[in-house]
């Protein structure tokens, strides 16, 4: 099927820069914000991309910033820049953790505060349970993080290059940092990995909101259940139990979404069967499979009769950005099983 984006997984050198004098620019209406040098040029390690598009620390254009007049912020200890803190689970897992890899080797106390740059600068985002749990795996709490409302100069900032960028690249050390999360939250997973051989379908039918859903997914569940597949709703349990259950399972299927990202926290060797809600597969899933040592096969939803739910009897659900309708739930189920070789 058609894949959008790149899928680089080379084990190349990753840099962590020390910036004695950084210009911090918070997100604005027309700019994502980021870290810059005294000439207002992006600090290379502070840049984040999605495919070929710069997403954080992109070059400034028409920004009226007088560097000489900016307030200066200084601490007894250096800062550590982690980039954006996303409130959405999937984006948080892939983007907000991508600069934490040095903490596998450095004590968290080496930095005084952890600097982030996010459109959502409310401290409430740091209190989300899954965000608190994952940061706690690196001995970080919400009180360790700071963001600023206006441009400023910040002395002594460590900036780690991202080890994962959506639809672009993923490094083995990112996989290591996610496995650290899995083992910290859920214990040693090696003994239970792939011990449950009954295929499991990851359903979104109980999600209260999100990016996408299938409005008649219950019919797909019923068809799969009749074929001996277990149905599981990941959001009904906490993150630690999600990681344990996915670790137990050898054969995993579902519509492609953020639940598949959690596999980064689990041991590998799994067989994945996914159907995209749309005609393309984002290359991030290919990257994740390669980093984890999983075998994934994906099918376009259009090929199995999945379409946007804008026809008669397919009212849209306003809690989701997009809702879809599976015209033939049995065909959807059969495709998942066939692509898994079962």
């Amino acid at each position: 099927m058609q894949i959008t984006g790149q899928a680089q997984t080379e084990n190349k050198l990753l840099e962590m820069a020390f910036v004695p004098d950084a210009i911090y620019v918070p997100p604005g209406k027309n700019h994502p914000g980021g870290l810059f040098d005294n000439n207002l040029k992006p600090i290379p390690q502070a840049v984040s991309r999605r495919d070929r598009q710069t997403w954080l620390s992109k070059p400034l254009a028409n920004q009226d910033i007088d560097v000489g007049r900016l307030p200066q912020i200084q601490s007894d200890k250096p800062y550590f820049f982690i980039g954006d803190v996303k409130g959405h689970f999937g984006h948080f897992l892939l983007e907000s953790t991508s600069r934490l890899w040095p903490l596998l080797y450095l004590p968290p106390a080496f930095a005084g505060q952890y600097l982030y740059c996010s459109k959502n600068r409310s401290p409430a985002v740091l209190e989300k349970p899954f965000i608190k749990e994952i940061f706690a795996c690196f001995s970080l709490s919400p009180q360790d993080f700071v963001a600023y409302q206006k441009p400023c100069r910040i002395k002594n900032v460590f900036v780690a290059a991202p080890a994962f960028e959506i639809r672009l690249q993923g490094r083995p050390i990112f996989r290591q940092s996610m496995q650290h999360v899995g083992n910290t939250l859920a214990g040693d997973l090696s003994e239970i990995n792939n011990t449950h051989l009954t295929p499991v379908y990851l359903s979104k039918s109980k999600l209260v909101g999100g990016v996408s859903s299938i409005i008649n997914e219950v019919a797909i569940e019923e068809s799969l259940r009749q074929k001996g597949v277990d149905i599981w709703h990941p959001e009904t349990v906490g993150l630690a139990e999600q990681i344990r259950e996915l670790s137990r399972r050898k054969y995993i299927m579902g519509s492609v979404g953020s639940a598949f990202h959690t596999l980064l926290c689990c041991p590998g060797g799994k067989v994945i069967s996914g159907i995209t809600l749309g005609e393309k597969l984002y290359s991030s899933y290919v990257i994740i499979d390669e980093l984890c040592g999983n075998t994934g096969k994906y099918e376009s939803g259009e090929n199995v009769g999945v379409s946007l739910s804008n026809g008669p009897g397919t009212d849209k659900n306003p809690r989701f950005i997009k809702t879809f309708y599976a015209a033939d739930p049995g065909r959807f189920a059969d495709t998942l099983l066939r692509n898994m070789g079962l």
Side-chain angles (χ1 to χ4, degrees):
M1 66 171 299
Q2 187 175 356
I3 298 174
T4 180
Q6 303 173 65
Q8 305 169 20
T9 56
E10 298 97 334
N11 194 13
K12 292 182 179 179
L13 181 70
L14 271 178
E15 295 182 343
M16 183 168 71
F18 178 74
V19 186
D21 192 9
I23 308 301
Y24 174 94
V25 178
K29 184 177 181 181
N30 299 311
H31 193 274
L35 279 188
F36 303 84
D37 64 21
N38 283 326
N39 296 315
L40 295 180
K41 301 297 183 183
I43 294 169
Q45 295 79 9
V47 173
S48 293
R49 298 162 295 174
R50 292 182 183 176
D51 197 353
R52 298 185 185 276
Q53 180 184 4
T54 299
W55 204 255
L56 186 67
S57 301
K58 67 187 294 185
L60 294 166
N62 302 319
Q63 297 289 325
D64 186 17
I65 298 176
D66 185 345
V67 172
R69 292 180 175 271
L70 292 177
Q72 190 170 100
I73 297 173
Q74 190 168 358
S75 173
D76 292 338
K77 288 186 176 182
Y79 289 80
F80 184 94
F81 181 69
I82 66 161
D84 199 348
V85 176
K86 301 287 189 183
H88 178 271
F89 175 75
H91 284 281
F92 175 85
L93 205 62
L94 297 186
E95 296 183 288
S96 302
T97 63
S98 68
R99 301 176 192 273
L100 295 177
W101 55 267
L103 299 185
L104 292 174
Y105 306 99
L106 296 172
F110 89 96
Q113 287 187 300
Y114 287 76
L115 181 67
Y116 69 100
C117 188
S118 175
K119 287 188 176 180
N120 184 357
R121 293 191 289 277
S122 169
V125 70
L126 297 165
E127 297 289 345
K128 284 194 170 187
F130 69 85
I131 292 178
K132 287 183 69 174
E133 286 180 285
I134 291 174
F135 280 147
C137 294
F138 298 90
S139 301
L140 300 175
S141 66
Q143 293 72 33
D144 293 316
F145 295 88
V146 63
Y148 296 101
Q149 304 295 321
K150 295 181 179 181
C152 57
R153 298 176 68 170
I154 302 178
K155 292 289 186 180
N156 302 330
V157 185
F158 283 104
V159 186
F164 194 100
E165 293 174 288
I166 285 178
R167 301 192 301 277
L168 180 59
Q169 61 94 11
R171 305 294 180 89
I173 198 168
F174 178 70
R175 162 70 164 155
Q176 293 172 31
S177 62
M178 291 296 96
Q179 285 185 293
H180 168 74
V181 169
N183 289 323
T184 302
L185 290 178
D188 184 3
L189 299 169
S190 59
E191 291 188 2
I192 65 171
N193 189 49
N194 298 338
T195 56
H196 199 323
L197 300 183
T198 301
V200 64
Y201 175 78
L202 310 186
S203 176
K204 301 178 184 178
S205 67
K206 293 186 179 181
L207 272 176
V208 297
V211 175
S212 61
S213 70
I214 303 172
I215 61 172
N216 62 331
E217 189 167 23
V218 172
I220 297 171
E221 293 178 14
E222 184 56 33
S223 180
L224 286 168
R225 193 176 286 111
Q226 292 175 4
K227 301 174 192 299
V229 175
D230 289 341
I231 308 301
W232 185 51
H233 303 86
E235 73 282 358
T236 61
V237 299
L239 180 57
E241 183 52 37
Q242 288 182 38
I243 293 169
R244 278 190 287 268
E245 182 62 20
L246 287 172
S247 295
R248 294 184 191 104
R249 299 290 182 159
K250 171 76 172 179
Y251 302 100
I252 299 168
M253 61 180 70
S255 63
V256 174
S258 297
F260 283 10
H261 298 170
T262 313
L263 292 168
L264 282 161
C265 302
C266 307
K270 302 184 183 302
V271 179
I272 314 296
S273 179
I275 292 179
T276 66
L277 299 184
E279 62 180 83
K280 299 177 182 179
L281 174 72
Y282 287 144
S283 62
S284 295
Y285 295 96
V286 177
I287 296 171
I288 292 170
D289 285 343
E290 185 167 341
L291 289 177
C292 295
N294 295 332
T295 301
K297 185 162 184 181
Y298 302 93
E299 187 89 24
S300 166
E302 291 188 350
N303 292 344
V304 295
V306 176
S307 60
L308 284 169
S309 57
N310 53 8
T314 58
D315 295 335
K316 292 184 178 181
N317 187 332
R319 297 171 300 176
F320 293 88
I321 297 174
K322 290 183 178 180
T323 53
F324 293 83
Y325 177 75
D328 188 343
R331 182 183 174 192
F332 190 108
D334 289 340
T335 300
L336 285 172
L337 288 165
R338 184 184 68 247
N339 286 347
M340 190 166 273
L342 299 175

